[in-house]
Coordinates of all heavy atoms in Angstrom, one line a residue:
G23 N 59.8 44.0 17.2 CA 60.1 44.1 15.8 C 59.1 43.5 14.9 O 57.8 43.7 15.3
L24 N 59.4 42.9 13.9 CA 58.6 42.3 13.0 C 59.0 40.8 12.7 O 60.1 40.5 12.4 CB 58.6 43.1 11.7 CG 58.2 44.6 11.7 CD1 58.3 45.2 10.3 CD2 56.8 44.7 12.3
D25 N 58.0 40.0 12.5 CA 58.2 38.5 12.1 C 57.0 38.2 11.3 O 55.9 37.8 11.7 CB 58.2 37.8 13.4 CG 58.8 36.2 13.2 OD1 58.2 35.7 12.1 OD2 59.5 35.6 13.9
F26 N 57.4 38.1 9.9 CA 56.4 37.6 9.0 C 56.4 36.3 8.6 O 55.8 35.7 7.6 CB 56.4 38.5 7.8 CG 56.1 39.9 8.0 CD1 56.4 41.0 7.1 CD2 55.3 40.4 9.2 CE1 56.2 42.3 7.4 CE2 55.2 41.7 9.5 CZ 55.5 42.7 8.5
N27 N 57.3 35.5 9.4 CA 57.4 34.0 9.1 C 56.2 33.3 9.5 O 55.8 32.3 8.8 CB 58.7 33.5 9.8 CG 59.1 32.0 9.5 OD1 58.7 31.3 10.3 ND2 59.7 31.7 8.3
R28 N 55.7 33.5 10.7 CA 54.5 32.8 11.1 C 53.4 33.7 11.3 O 52.2 33.2 11.4 CB 55.0 32.1 12.5 CG 56.1 31.1 12.3 CD 56.4 30.4 13.7 NE 57.4 29.4 13.7 CZ 57.8 28.7 14.6 NH1 57.3 28.9 15.9 NH2 58.8 27.8 14.4
N29 N 53.4 34.9 11.5 CA 52.3 35.8 11.7 C 51.4 35.4 12.8 O 50.2 35.3 12.5 CB 51.6 36.0 10.4 CG 52.4 36.8 9.4 OD1 53.0 37.8 9.8 ND2 52.3 36.6 8.1
F30 N 51.9 35.1 13.9 CA 51.1 34.8 15.0 C 50.2 36.0 15.5 O 49.1 35.9 16.0 CB 52.0 34.4 16.3 CG 52.5 33.1 16.1 CD1 53.8 32.8 16.5 CD2 51.7 31.9 15.7 CE1 54.4 31.5 16.3 CE2 52.3 30.7 15.6 CZ 53.7 30.4 16.0
S31 N 50.8 37.2 15.2 CA 50.0 38.5 15.2 C 50.1 38.9 13.8 O 51.0 38.8 13.1 CB 50.6 39.5 16.2 OG 50.6 39.1 17.4
T32 N 49.1 39.7 13.4 CA 48.9 40.1 11.9 C 50.1 41.2 11.7 O 50.5 41.9 12.7 CB 47.6 40.7 11.6 OG1 47.5 42.0 12.5 CG2 46.4 39.9 12.1
P33 N 50.5 41.4 10.6 CA 51.4 42.5 10.3 C 51.1 43.9 10.8 O 51.9 44.6 11.2 CB 51.6 42.5 8.7 CG 51.3 40.9 8.3 CD 50.1 40.6 9.4
A34 N 49.8 44.1 10.6 CA 49.3 45.4 11.1 C 49.4 45.6 12.6 O 49.9 46.6 13.2 CB 47.9 45.7 10.7
E35 N 49.1 44.5 13.3 CA 49.3 44.4 14.8 C 50.7 44.7 15.2 O 51.2 45.2 16.2 CB 48.7 43.3 15.5 CG 47.2 43.1 15.3 CD 46.6 41.8 15.7 OE1 47.3 40.7 15.5 OE2 45.5 41.8 16.1
Q36 N 51.6 43.9 14.5 CA 53.0 44.0 14.7 C 53.6 45.3 14.5 O 54.4 45.9 15.3 CB 53.8 43.0 13.8 CG 53.4 41.5 14.1 CD 54.3 40.6 13.1 OE1 55.5 40.8 12.9 NE2 53.7 39.6 12.6
A37 N 53.2 46.0 13.4 CA 53.7 47.3 13.2 C 53.2 48.3 14.2 O 54.0 49.2 14.6 CB 53.1 47.7 11.8
R38 N 52.1 48.2 14.7 CA 51.5 49.1 15.7 C 52.2 48.9 17.0 O 52.6 49.8 17.7 CB 50.0 48.7 15.9 CG 49.3 49.6 17.0 CD 47.8 49.3 17.1 NE 47.5 48.1 17.6 CZ 47.4 47.7 18.9 NH1 47.5 48.7 19.8 NH2 47.2 46.6 19.3
A39 N 52.5 47.7 17.5 CA 53.2 47.4 18.7 C 54.7 47.9 18.5 O 55.3 48.4 19.4 CB 53.2 46.0 19.1
F40 N 55.3 47.6 17.3 CA 56.7 48.1 17.1 C 56.7 49.6 17.2 O 57.7 50.1 17.7 CB 57.1 47.5 15.8 CG 58.6 47.6 15.6 CD1 59.7 47.9 16.6 CD2 59.1 47.8 14.2 CE1 60.9 48.0 16.3 CE2 60.3 48.0 13.9 CZ 61.3 48.0 15.0
E41 N 55.9 50.2 16.5 CA 55.9 51.7 16.5 C 55.8 52.2 18.0 O 56.5 53.2 18.3 CB 54.6 52.2 15.7 CG 54.9 53.7 15.3 CD 55.6 54.1 14.1 OE1 55.7 53.1 13.3 OE2 55.9 55.2 13.8
A42 N 55.0 51.6 18.6 CA 54.8 52.0 20.1 C 56.1 51.8 20.9 O 56.5 52.8 21.8 CB 53.8 51.4 20.8
Q43 N 56.9 50.8 20.6 CA 58.1 50.6 21.4 C 59.2 51.4 20.8 O 60.1 51.8 21.6 CB 58.3 49.0 21.3 CG 57.4 48.3 22.2 CD 57.5 46.7 22.1 OE1 58.3 46.1 22.9 NE2 56.8 46.1 21.1
L44 N 59.2 51.7 19.5 CA 60.1 52.8 19.0 C 59.9 54.0 19.7 O 60.9 54.7 20.0 CB 59.9 52.7 17.5 CG 60.4 51.6 16.6 CD1 59.9 51.9 15.2 CD2 61.9 51.7 16.6
T45 N 58.7 54.4 20.0 CA 58.5 55.7 20.7 C 59.1 55.5 22.1 O 59.6 56.5 22.6 CB 56.9 55.8 20.8 OG1 56.4 56.0 19.5 CG2 56.6 57.1 21.6
L46 N 58.9 54.5 22.8 CA 59.5 54.2 24.1 C 60.9 54.4 24.1 O 61.5 55.0 24.9 CB 59.1 52.9 24.7 CG 57.5 52.8 25.1 CD1 57.3 51.3 25.6 CD2 57.1 53.9 26.2
A47 N 61.5 53.8 23.1 CA 63.0 53.8 23.1 C 63.5 55.4 22.8 O 64.5 55.8 23.3 CB 63.5 52.9 21.9
A48 N 62.7 56.0 21.9 CA 63.0 57.4 21.8 C 63.0 58.2 23.0 O 63.7 59.1 23.3 CB 62.2 58.0 20.6
E49 N 61.9 58.0 23.7 CA 61.6 58.8 25.0 C 62.7 58.5 26.0 O 63.0 59.3 26.8 CB 60.2 58.6 25.5 CG 59.2 59.0 24.6 CD 57.7 58.8 25.1 OE1 57.6 58.0 26.0 OE2 56.8 59.1 24.4
T50 N 63.0 57.3 26.2 CA 63.9 56.9 27.3 C 65.4 56.9 26.9 O 66.2 57.0 27.8 CB 63.6 55.4 27.7 OG1 63.9 54.6 26.6 CG2 62.2 55.2 28.2
G51 N 65.6 56.9 25.7 CA 67.1 56.9 25.3 C 67.7 55.5 25.4 O 69.0 55.4 25.1
L52 N 66.9 54.4 25.8 CA 67.5 53.1 26.0 C 67.7 52.6 24.5 O 67.0 52.8 23.6 CB 66.5 52.3 26.8 CG 66.6 52.6 28.2 CD1 65.4 51.8 28.9 CD2 67.9 52.3 28.9
P53 N 68.7 51.6 24.4 CA 68.8 51.0 23.0 C 67.8 50.0 22.7 O 67.0 49.6 23.7 CB 70.2 50.2 23.2 CG 70.3 50.0 24.8 CD 69.8 51.3 25.4
L54 N 67.7 49.6 21.5 CA 66.6 48.7 21.2 C 67.2 47.2 20.9 O 68.2 47.1 20.4 CB 66.0 49.2 19.8 CG 64.9 50.1 19.9 CD1 64.8 50.9 18.5 CD2 63.6 49.6 20.2
F55 N 66.4 46.2 21.3 CA 66.7 44.8 21.1 C 65.7 44.4 20.1 O 64.6 44.1 20.6 CB 66.7 44.2 22.5 CG 67.3 42.7 22.4 CD1 68.6 42.6 22.5 CD2 66.5 41.6 22.3 CE1 69.2 41.3 22.5 CE2 67.0 40.3 22.4 CZ 68.3 40.2 22.4
L56 N 66.2 44.2 18.9 CA 65.3 44.0 17.7 C 65.2 42.5 17.4 O 66.2 41.7 17.3 CB 65.7 44.7 16.6 CG 65.7 46.3 16.8 CD1 66.3 46.9 15.6 CD2 64.3 46.9 17.0
H57 N 63.9 42.2 16.9 CA 63.7 40.8 16.3 C 63.2 41.0 14.9 O 62.2 41.8 14.6 CB 62.6 40.0 17.1 CG 62.2 38.9 16.5 ND1 62.7 37.6 16.9 CD2 61.4 38.6 15.4 CE1 62.1 36.7 16.1 NE2 61.3 37.2 15.3
E58 N 63.7 40.4 14.0 CA 63.1 40.4 12.5 C 63.3 39.1 11.9 O 64.4 38.4 11.9 CB 63.9 41.6 11.7 CG 63.4 41.7 10.3 CD 64.3 40.7 9.3 OE1 65.4 40.9 9.3 OE2 63.8 39.9 8.7
R59 N 62.3 38.5 11.2 CA 62.3 37.4 10.4 C 61.5 37.5 9.3 O 60.3 37.8 9.5 CB 62.1 36.2 11.3 CG 62.3 34.8 10.5 CD 62.2 33.6 11.4 NE 62.7 32.4 10.6 CZ 62.3 31.2 11.0 NH1 61.7 31.0 12.2 NH2 62.6 30.2 10.3
D60 N 62.0 37.3 8.1 CA 61.2 37.4 6.8 C 60.5 38.8 6.7 O 59.5 38.9 6.2 CB 60.2 36.3 6.8 CG 61.0 35.0 6.6 OD1 62.2 34.9 6.4 OD2 60.1 33.9 6.7
A61 N 61.0 39.8 7.3 CA 60.4 41.2 7.3 C 61.5 42.2 7.1 O 61.3 43.3 7.6 CB 59.6 41.3 8.5
G62 N 62.6 42.0 6.5 CA 63.7 42.9 6.4 C 63.3 44.3 5.7 O 63.7 45.3 6.2
R63 N 62.5 44.2 4.6 CA 62.3 45.4 3.9 C 61.4 46.4 4.8 O 61.7 47.5 4.8 CB 61.5 45.1 2.6 CG 61.1 46.3 1.8 CD 60.5 45.9 0.5 NE 61.5 45.1 -0.4 CZ 61.2 44.6 -1.6 NH1 60.0 44.7 -2.1 NH2 62.1 43.8 -2.2
Q64 N 60.4 45.8 5.4 CA 59.4 46.6 6.3 C 60.2 47.1 7.4 O 59.9 48.3 7.8 CB 58.3 45.7 6.7 CG 57.3 45.3 5.4 CD 57.8 44.0 4.7 OE1 59.0 43.5 4.9 NE2 56.9 43.4 4.0
M65 N 61.0 46.3 8.1 CA 61.8 46.7 9.2 C 62.8 47.8 8.9 O 62.8 48.9 9.6 CB 62.6 45.5 9.8 CG 63.6 45.9 11.0 SD 62.6 45.9 12.6 CE 63.0 44.2 13.0
L66 N 63.4 47.7 7.7 CA 64.3 48.8 7.3 C 63.5 50.1 7.0 O 64.0 51.2 7.5 CB 65.0 48.4 6.0 CG 66.2 47.5 6.2 CD1 66.7 46.9 4.9 CD2 67.4 48.1 7.0
E67 N 62.4 50.0 6.4 CA 61.7 51.2 6.2 C 61.1 51.8 7.7 O 61.3 53.1 7.6 CB 60.3 50.9 5.4 CG 60.7 50.6 4.0 CD 59.4 50.0 3.2 OE1 58.3 49.9 3.8 OE2 59.5 49.7 2.0
M68 N 60.7 51.1 8.5 CA 60.4 51.8 9.8 C 61.6 52.3 10.6 O 61.5 53.4 11.1 CB 59.6 50.7 10.7 CG 58.2 50.3 10.1 SD 57.3 49.1 11.1 CE 56.8 50.2 12.5
L69 N 62.7 51.6 10.5 CA 63.8 52.1 11.3 C 64.5 53.4 10.6 O 64.9 54.2 11.3 CB 64.9 50.9 11.3 CG 64.6 49.8 12.3 CD1 65.5 48.7 12.1 CD2 64.4 50.3 13.6

């Protein structure tokens, strides 16, 4: 997911990794276990 509270990874890096894992969820049909902190608007847009 996305965590803009501490930004240990940049927002761009987070979005890239999240997009890749959304792809894996779509391909496998498995449910998603999501993390979000201080990034609700961006998370909602991607989802």
Side-chain angles (χ1 to χ4, degrees):
L24 303 174
D25 189 319
F26 296 165
N27 180 263
R28 296 183 180 178
N29 283 326
F30 290 134
S31 295
T32 68
E35 290 169 332
Q36 292 183 45
R38 180 175 67 91
F40 186 30
E41 191 89 15
Q43 291 174 91
L44 285 164
T45 301
L46 289 175
E49 290 177 357
T50 62
L52 289 171
L54 277 159
F55 192 78
L56 299 172
H57 173 101
E58 179 267 307
R59 190 170 181 194
D60 295 347
R63 181 175 300 177
Q64 295 87 340
M65 177 83 97
L66 283 166
E67 288 175 359
M68 294 184 72
L69 289 172

